[in-house]
Amino acid sequence: MEPLFTPEQLAEIHAYHLPYYIRAAVDPFARLGLMALQLGVLVQPFHRMATAAAAGLEHRLGFLRTAPVSRVFFQAMDRLWGESGWGAAVLFALLTDLFIRLVYTPVDTWFNYTLEHRHGMSNYTPGAYAWDVLKEQAVTTLALTALVIGLYGLARRVRRWWLVLGVPVALLMLVASALDPYRDLLYYKQKPLPEGALRTRLTGLLEKAGVSFADMRVEETSVSSRRVQAYFAGQGPTRTIVLNDVILKEFSEDEVLAAVAHEAGHVHESKWLGRIASSLALVAFLFAIDRLLRVSASRGWFGATRFADIRTLPLIWLLLFCVFLVGKPIAGAFSREREREADRYALRLTGDVESFRRMLVKAARVNKMDPEPPRWVVLKGMSHPPIGERLAALPPPP
């Protein structure tokens, strides 16, 4: 059997992945250090800056509170927050987030732009990369504002806020995946997969698998990346098969079918247990935040003068970071097992071991996958088994 990579290709792949492995080892300690710096030194200065900035904006733009249209917004925000002062809270949250982002901007730019270009994995132009970073920041700003107003505002007004907030959000999590087909439209154009042999064969394959779908789309990711990709997005009436334009260029029809057959295996996974567990974990996490906010208020941590003081937000980030740090290896282990089962399902569905093997080999070569990453990297939370392991698990050729 032809080797997966030549020695030259393997040397380049190791050179490509080594910085990522170094970052994976260093990053948890760096983030903990930045969070400690925020909690130990920067909370009070940031809070004073946010309060002063909010007061300045109120002085200059106070007329908006009485303007016919904008006053409705301000009245709604005051009710959600429970009192005035929500502007300073939002600015404080944005300052704490901006501090981390500014520290990481050189690192993120080197990894996401420079390193990817150096190894031929990116098609980003500087302008397109900057535009996507700005869009991501805008989405983060909106999400962070909603989080501050929703969580802290509700906590100030309702004693069992964690239950009032946790139950509807948990229910929303159960159906949020229905919106998946529309999220990537913020970054990439999509168009229907043209009528033809491939679409006909994919339709037949999914009929055989018993997987209903609303559409087949081609996502134009080649504007930024040279990686192949195929996935299912949405649930029920919104379920969509998404193939990126790179996979259509690099793979034969049989190989595309093999990739989609693997994704069809994920559709048949039993997801309710995981969703219910995630929902319960969310409620438990919000309850832990409630306890943390009460202890912070009673002991005056970080200058907190009342329950749900916005100055406790970096402490919540620290708690969330610790939860992810502990939970990611566990989630990764379950994810890798689901990927193995999806491989087995695809082989049962198509019966075409050779096309599946070629699909994995091409994906590994185009995406420059490390066939044998360090074991600690896998255990730290890799979502897929190493490509070498997946190939070794395939039945031998006849």
Side-chain angles (χ1 to χ4, degrees), residues 27-28 30-39 42-43 46 89-101 137 139-152 161 282 285-286 288-290 292-293 296 301-302 309-326:
D27 190 65
R31 290 193 179 271
L32 281 172
L34 288 173
M35 290 179 186
L37 178 62
Q38 279 193 330
L39 289 169
L42 299 178
V43 167
F46 280 177
V90 170
L91 289 175
F92 174 81
L94 295 179
L95 271 175
T96 58
D97 176 69
L98 183 61
F99 169 73
I100 299 292
R101 285 183 176 271
Q137 182 59 53
V139 171
T140 300
T141 298
L142 291 173
L144 191 54
T145 300
L147 172 68
V148 169
I149 299 298
L151 191 153
Y152 278 87
W161 67 271
L282 172 66
F285 180 69
L286 292 175
I289 291 177
D290 179 77
L292 195 61
L293 293 178
S296 300
W301 287 351
F302 317 112
D309 191 304
I310 192 61
R311 282 171 282 195
T312 58
L313 182 62
L315 192 60
I316 294 178
W317 292 150
L318 177 61
L319 176 62
L320 183 64
F321 173 78
C322 292
V323 169
F324 275 111
L325 193 64
V326 173

Side-chain angles (χ1 to χ4, degrees), residues 174-242:
L174 298 179
V175 298
S177 58
L179 301 176
D180 284 346
Y182 315 110
R183 292 174 183 168
D184 273 4
L185 292 176
L186 182 62
Y187 298 97
Y188 302 114
K189 294 179 181 179
Q190 291 185 358
K191 59 185 179 182
L193 179 68
E195 296 292 339
L198 178 59
R199 189 179 182 106
T200 300
R201 293 184 67 187
L202 285 173
T203 300
L205 177 76
L206 294 174
E207 286 178 356
K208 180 180 178 182
V211 174
S212 61
F213 61 94
D215 200 2
M216 296 182 188
R217 309 288 293 179
V218 179
E219 191 168 73
E220 298 177 0
T221 64
S222 61
V223 296
S224 63
S225 173
R226 297 180 182 177
R227 289 177 172 82
V228 296
Q229 189 177 32
Y231 62 95
F232 278 66
Q235 294 291 329
T238 68
R239 182 179 293 130
T240 303
I241 305 160
V242 182

Side-chain angles (χ1 to χ4, degrees), residues 69-217:
V69 177
S70 57
R71 69 181 180 185
V72 176
F73 168 77
F74 282 94
Q75 289 170 358
M77 294 295 282
D78 287 344
R79 282 196 296 270
L80 288 171
W81 187 248
E83 59 188 21
S84 61
W86 53 268
V90 170
L91 289 175
F92 174 81
L94 295 179
L95 271 175
T96 58
D97 176 69
L98 183 61
F99 169 73
I100 299 292
R101 285 183 176 271
L102 287 178
V103 171
Y104 267 86
T105 291
V107 177
D108 289 338
T109 302
W110 189 84
F111 274 93
N112 299 334
Y113 185 85
T114 305
L115 182 64
E116 293 293 301
H117 272 276
R118 181 177 297 171
H119 291 277
M121 297 303 295
S122 175
N123 290 325
Y124 261 131
T125 63
Y129 176 76
W131 177 236
D132 276 359
V133 170
L134 286 175
K135 285 189 287 186
E136 181 184 359
Q137 182 59 53
V139 171
T140 300
T141 298
L142 291 173
L144 191 54
T145 300
L147 172 68
V148 169
I149 299 298
L151 191 153
Y152 278 87
L154 190 63
R156 288 163 173 257
R157 294 180 289 110
V158 181
R159 180 165 181 81
R160 296 187 183 276
W161 67 271
W162 53 272
L163 197 58
V164 174
L165 180 63
V167 171
V169 171
L171 292 174
L172 184 62
M173 287 172 59
L174 298 179
V175 298
S177 58
L179 301 176
D180 284 346
Y182 315 110
R183 292 174 183 168
D184 273 4
L185 292 176
L186 182 62
Y187 298 97
Y188 302 114
K189 294 179 181 179
Q190 291 185 358
K191 59 185 179 182
L193 179 68
E195 296 292 339
L198 178 59
R199 189 179 182 106
T200 300
R201 293 184 67 187
L202 285 173
T203 300
L205 177 76
L206 294 174
E207 286 178 356
K208 180 180 178 182
V211 174
S212 61
F213 61 94
D215 200 2
M216 296 182 188
R217 309 288 293 179

